[in-house]
Amino acid sequence: MAFDARLLSGIGVMMAVVESGTFNRAAESVRLTPSGVSRAIARLERQVGARLFHRTPRAVTLTEEGRRFHAEVAPLLAGIEEAAEEVAGARAAVRGRLRLSADPWFARVVLAPRLPELTARHPELFVELMASNHREEMMAGGVDLALRFGPPAPGKLAVRKILETRIVTCAAPSYLARHEALLFRDPQSGRPFAWEFHRGTEIVQVEVRGRLVTDDPSTALAACEAGQGLFQSFALGLAPWLESGRLVQVLPDWSDERFPLYAYHRTRRHTPAKVEAFLAFAGEG
């Protein structure tokens, strides 16, 4: 079967529609008319034999087949872009769009306050940040780099350890007279993490109960600050709450447990400069 160059151009239009959310805005980015975008998408759907978008007057969204197709082709387009940069000698330049999937705690509590520093350091870098603690298909949709706390996941991805953070137990000063825990659900098992206290080589497991279970540690942090209960938190990024007195640390002598943060990216002959630049930046914090 001969390659139809219109397939590649149609995929480019599809990516523009996904990023913009409408045919009209996509038309501006690919320099077509809205009707031209509509025809390109219709032609692509005929070529792949599936409907890729749900169309409404206000927006267009991917169908299930469209999501699967998008997840497959996005990394391929990124590879083409990378190859073009390499030929042009631009590999050393930190520029372009960095699609980052980060653990919610790291994204909201650690990274977000430092984003102005990152973008000032690299003016030609554009960051597309998605917060998620799930590991299934974490590189889908053309993600360049994924950051997850916990032991490294097996697989074909390149894995790099970024940092370790202590686990500390904290509470609002108004809460310390009561006894209830805020529970954080392990995204891998679906069950709340067990509570442990580490001091040197000593490890003590404690059975705790609580009425709030969440899979977002920053939500648990807000509930803890409001006085809902005790929370075992990453020490990373927690300094503003402890220094201001909004939270106080409980059992500081039993806070030797460490939890790692790993970065995942696709195995390539050369790691793109934008990925290396972000990894260096993340490791500074």
Side-chain angles (χ1 to χ4, degrees), residues 3-14 44 47 77 80:
F3 176 74
D4 187 346
R6 292 180 301 176
L7 178 63
L8 188 58
S9 63
I11 291 172
V13 174
M14 173 190 174
L44 179 62
Q47 289 174 306
L77 288 183
I80 294 173

Side-chain angles (χ1 to χ4, degrees), residues 185-197:
R185 180 178 288 114
D186 183 346
Q188 301 303 303
S189 69
R191 298 186 299 272
F193 277 105
W195 277 45
E196 294 182 353
F197 293 88

